[in-house]
């Protein structure tokens, strides 16, 4: 990827799968949703490292309803692992995108929408200027289109090996996924 601005392509809304050769323990066999990607920086959330707890088990507060307390919690990345991020993933005609930093009452309105998923993460993955682009050139990551199954903590845990191998057979099982991951 040349460094001139005309060739920059944002990966916001795409998923990165760590190449098998990426041995950094922070990212080994990880799937990362790229939430923001500019020429200056990139930020994302690791999808396949569930903590096996819910938001209600680690946080409280006046805006946290019973429904929000059931949101699955995951390890989002090595940057600020003490910081909690509530993330809204929304699907639509232009694909999937995510937003974070919304107040709990705003997230509550999206819980019943089949085109939305709300997740909570401790920490995030972050890259400085040019770092992600350099890692892509070095072959550390494979860029994938997002799929709602990647947002299910139970499924995401086992998807990395299939995605990296290019095995698409898992897609026929998507219709069997419960709408609510807690219903497994």
């Amino acid at each position: 990827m040349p460094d001139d601005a005309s060739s920059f392509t944002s990966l916001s809304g795409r998923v990165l799968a760590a190449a098998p050769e990426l041995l950094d323990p922070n990212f080994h066999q990880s799937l990362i949703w790229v939430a923001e990607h500019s020429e200056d920086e990139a930020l994302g959330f690791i999808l396949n490292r569930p903590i096996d707890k819910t938001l209600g088990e680690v946080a409280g507060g006046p805006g946290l309803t019973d429904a929000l307390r059931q949101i699955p919690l995951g390890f989002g990345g090595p940057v600020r692992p003490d910081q909690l991020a509530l993330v809204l993933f929304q699907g639509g005609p232009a694909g999937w995108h995510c937003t974070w930093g919304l107040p709990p009452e705003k997230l509550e309105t999206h819980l019943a929408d089949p085109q939305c998923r709300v997740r909570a993460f401790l920490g995030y993955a972050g890259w400085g200027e040019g770092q992600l682009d350099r890692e892509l050139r070095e072959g550390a990551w494979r860029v994938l289109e997002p799929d709602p199954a990647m947002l299910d903590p139970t499924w995401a845990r086992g998807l990395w090996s299939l995605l990296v191998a290019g095995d698409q057979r898992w897609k026929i099982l998507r219709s069997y996924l419960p709408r609510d991951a807690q219903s497994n």
Side-chain angles (χ1 to χ4, degrees), residues 43-137:
L43 180 142
F45 299 97
I46 298 176
L47 300 175
N48 61 333
R49 297 227 177 117
I51 295 178
D52 297 327
K53 292 185 184 252
T54 64
L55 179 60
E57 292 176 89
V58 299
L64 208 56
T65 64
D66 287 341
L68 288 171
R69 290 179 193 284
Q70 299 308 309
I71 292 172
L73 183 65
F75 174 73
V79 181
R80 301 285 316 266
D82 58 332
Q83 181 179 0
L84 180 66
L86 298 176
V87 183
L88 171 64
F89 297 91
Q90 292 178 287
W96 284 79
H97 68 279
C98 73
T99 309
W100 67 95
L102 297 172
E105 58 274 6
K106 179 79 169 172
L107 292 170
E108 176 84 26
T109 65
H110 295 284
L111 290 176
D113 185 341
Q115 289 298 323
C116 294
R117 306 289 188 278
V118 178
R119 297 292 178 261
F121 297 98
L122 290 175
Y124 61 91
W127 294 266
E129 185 175 352
Q131 184 181 4
L132 178 56
D133 297 316
R134 184 175 55 257
E135 290 177 11
L136 287 164
R137 282 192 305 273

